[in-house]
Amino acid sequence: MENLSIEVKLTKEPKVKPASDQLAFGTVFTDHMFTMDYTEGHGWHDPMIIPYEPITIDPAAIVFHYGQTVFEGLKAYVTEEDEVLLFRPEENMKRLNRSNERLCMPHFDEELALKGLRKLIQIDKDWIPKIEGTSLYIRPFIIATQPYLGVAPSKTYRFMIILSPVGAYYKEGINPVKIAVESEFVRAVKGGTGSAKTAGNYAGAMKAQEVAEAKGYSQVLWLDGKEHKYIEEVGAMNVFFKMDGKVVTPELNGSILEGITRKSVIELLRYWDIPVIERKISIDELYEAHQVGILEEAFGTGTAAVISPIGELSWNNANLTVNNGEIGALSKKIYDMMTGIQTGRLEDPFGWRMTVEL
Ligand SMILES: *Cc1c(COP(=O)(O)O)cnc(C)c1O
């Protein structure tokens, strides 16, 4: 299948590119997109790069009714030497296939998808913004396209990749956020779809986010769906705590999304010989740690922010301030190293970068 050649049809009407200092997140898209179709009995076929445009799908398509869809998110950066770098993109393609598996969707060839992605980036490379902190956000996704109202896996799918130039996540410096511990809603349960990047998880999480925002918090800290006791994630990010000199993060348990930033941060800490432990962490333990003064740092990890420090946690009418509401030294060190590797400012001792040939 990796031998399938990718047909290219270029746009005749290139769009005006936004100024790099005016970019938000996910609002503008480049001139082209990658698409590939799947038909049962025939497999994946017709990989191509075509002008970015709306697509026509039957209103009865399974994706609209039963949410059979998966997605990914990663970024490309341009270096000072005008090289284009991707961060561990093969991990995203692997995870997309794992999400596929959970949603009864067909496996695709990861090499072919990466080839399509690189070719798409080559074509739209002038869209990659260059101001510090900006990047090209990449959104691969797959949707179930068969028109059928029966609840069953689709027999046809479309795989697409779209690109969006995005502004710096931290325009005014890294300000730690206020988080509300969520004690009513849950994001996922063991046996559910929490470990897959699938639309339903995000639709189901919006209510908690809305309630928390109305009370002045930026995100919620999710607890496990069974006992409402163990910490799982923060918003749509994985979460880490530094307690008594050691870093801890919830162990993967079937309901937590296995972040590539999470995995990289763990590998980075081990490389630095900083103790890092994946285990269950209860909210009571976190509260205790704060009370006795050993909760030193807390942060979320994910592609969009890389590191998002937590300055305050509210739980049961208690407000736990972390590191005086300021970014911790280790959080900052991790952020600098991760973004340094991603943007080409620093050496990459792990071989995490992939250079896109231009
Ligand atoms: C995507 C995602 C993450 C972070 O994954 P990265 O690969 O680090 O971007 C964490 N939690 C949820 C729920 C996610 O959807």
Side-chain angles (χ1 to χ4, degrees):
M1 196 158 70
E2 57 271 43
N3 297 326
L4 282 183
S5 66
I6 301 168
E7 190 191 322
V8 176
K9 195 178 145 210
L10 296 178
T11 183
K12 293 198 175 64
E13 295 156 39
K15 294 180 275 199
V16 176
K17 297 177 185 66
S20 287
D21 59 352
Q22 299 291 313
L23 294 167
F25 179 81
T27 52
V28 290
F29 300 92
T30 66
D31 281 325
H32 299 88
M33 60 189 189
F34 173 83
T35 84
M36 174 164 74
D37 285 316
Y38 177 92
T39 311
E40 196 177 79
H42 185 36
W44 289 101
H45 56 91
D46 294 311
M48 48 189 172
I49 290 169
I50 57 173
Y52 186 99
E53 62 188 8
I55 54 174
T56 302
I57 309 176
D58 195 292
I62 290 174
V63 64
F64 296 135
H65 306 274
Y66 309 124
Q68 203 193 7
T69 176
V70 295
F71 70 93
E72 271 303 323
L74 66 160
K75 285 175 172 179
Y77 296 87
V78 61
T79 69
E80 284 174 5
E81 290 77 39
D82 272 333
E83 272 194 319
V84 175
L85 303 176
L86 293 169
F87 184 74
R88 312 187 83 176
E90 62 291 339
E91 293 288 336
N92 293 90
M93 295 306 173
K94 269 196 235 167
R95 186 171 64 190
L96 192 56
N97 260 329
R98 287 203 301 273
S99 298
N100 263 344
E101 168 70 28
R102 179 64 183 81
L103 274 285
C104 299
M105 294 168 66
H107 189 275
F108 65 89
D109 186 282
E110 293 160 17
E111 282 298 318
L112 175 65
L114 278 174
K115 195 169 136 191
L117 170 59
R118 291 200 302 263
K119 197 158 190 152
L120 178 62
I121 293 175
Q122 284 163 5
I123 292 171
D124 280 343
K125 64 177 185 301
D126 293 341
W127 281 86
I128 311 179
K130 291 188 175 162
I131 293 182
E132 184 175 349
T134 63
S135 60
L136 185 73
Y137 185 80
I138 301 162
R139 172 54 59 89
F141 63 105
I142 307 176
I143 52 175
T145 51
Q146 187 194 351
Y148 178 51
L149 295 185
V151 180
S154 181
K155 293 181 182 356
T156 61
Y157 297 88
R158 179 163 294 173
F159 183 135
M160 306 187 73
I161 306 176
I162 55 175
L163 307 176
S164 173
V166 298
Y169 192 90
Y170 294 114
K171 283 197 180 70
E172 281 122 36
I174 308 183
N175 288 316
V177 292
K178 282 167 86 174
I179 300 293
V181 178
E182 178 58 63
S183 42
E184 184 189 352
F185 300 111
V186 296
R187 191 191 85 90
V189 291
K190 192 170 177 215
T193 56
S195 61
K197 253 181 141 64
T198 184
N201 295 339
Y202 305 84
M206 286 176 187
K207 191 71 200 176
Q209 171 72 21
E210 187 178 83
V211 172
E213 257 176 45
K215 293 182 186 157
Y217 299 97
S218 3
Q219 297 283 352
V220 300
L221 187 75
W222 297 108
L223 302 181
D224 78 275
K226 196 171 164 202
E227 297 178 74
H228 273 249
K229 182 171 169 189
Y230 296 102
I231 296 166
E232 299 229 314
E233 301 201 47
V234 59
M237 285 183 281
N238 296 113
V239 67
F240 286 76
F241 303 96
K242 180 164 172 263
M243 292 196 263
D244 206 15
K246 297 185 198 71
V247 180
V248 290
T249 189
E251 66 190 8
L252 300 175
N253 59 358
S255 52
I256 291 173
L257 196 289
E258 190 177 349
I260 295 158
T261 318
R262 174 188 183 278
K263 179 177 175 158
S264 305
V265 166
I266 292 171
E267 290 171 22
L268 186 56
L269 290 167
R270 297 211 166 115
Y271 173 79
W272 283 335
D273 279 328
I274 295 172
V276 51
I277 307 140
E278 295 173 74
R279 63 166 172 84
K280 284 187 169 176
I281 308 159
S282 72
I283 188 66
D284 303 281
E285 178 190 349
L286 197 74
Y287 180 78
E288 271 311 304
H290 179 266
Q291 293 313 97
V292 301
I294 58 165
L295 175 57
E296 294 153 7
E297 300 186 30
F299 57 92
T301 65
T303 294
V306 186
I307 299 294
S308 174
I310 297 170
E312 190 183 313
L313 281 156
S314 116
W315 181 58
N316 275 356
N317 302 318
N319 284 326
L320 320 182
T321 303
V322 186
N323 196 44
N324 295 317
E326 283 160 27
I327 182 169
L330 183 62
S331 309
K332 179 78 170 70
K333 183 175 152 122
I334 297 169
Y335 178 81
D336 289 342
M337 180 74 169
M338 289 287 294
T339 54
I341 293 174
Q342 289 169 341
T343 58
R345 262 189 289 111
L346 297 176
E347 290 282 295
D348 171 15
F350 308 97
W352 284 340
R353 293 194 288 245
M354 179 185 283
T355 307
V356 179
E357 60 280 22
L358 294 175

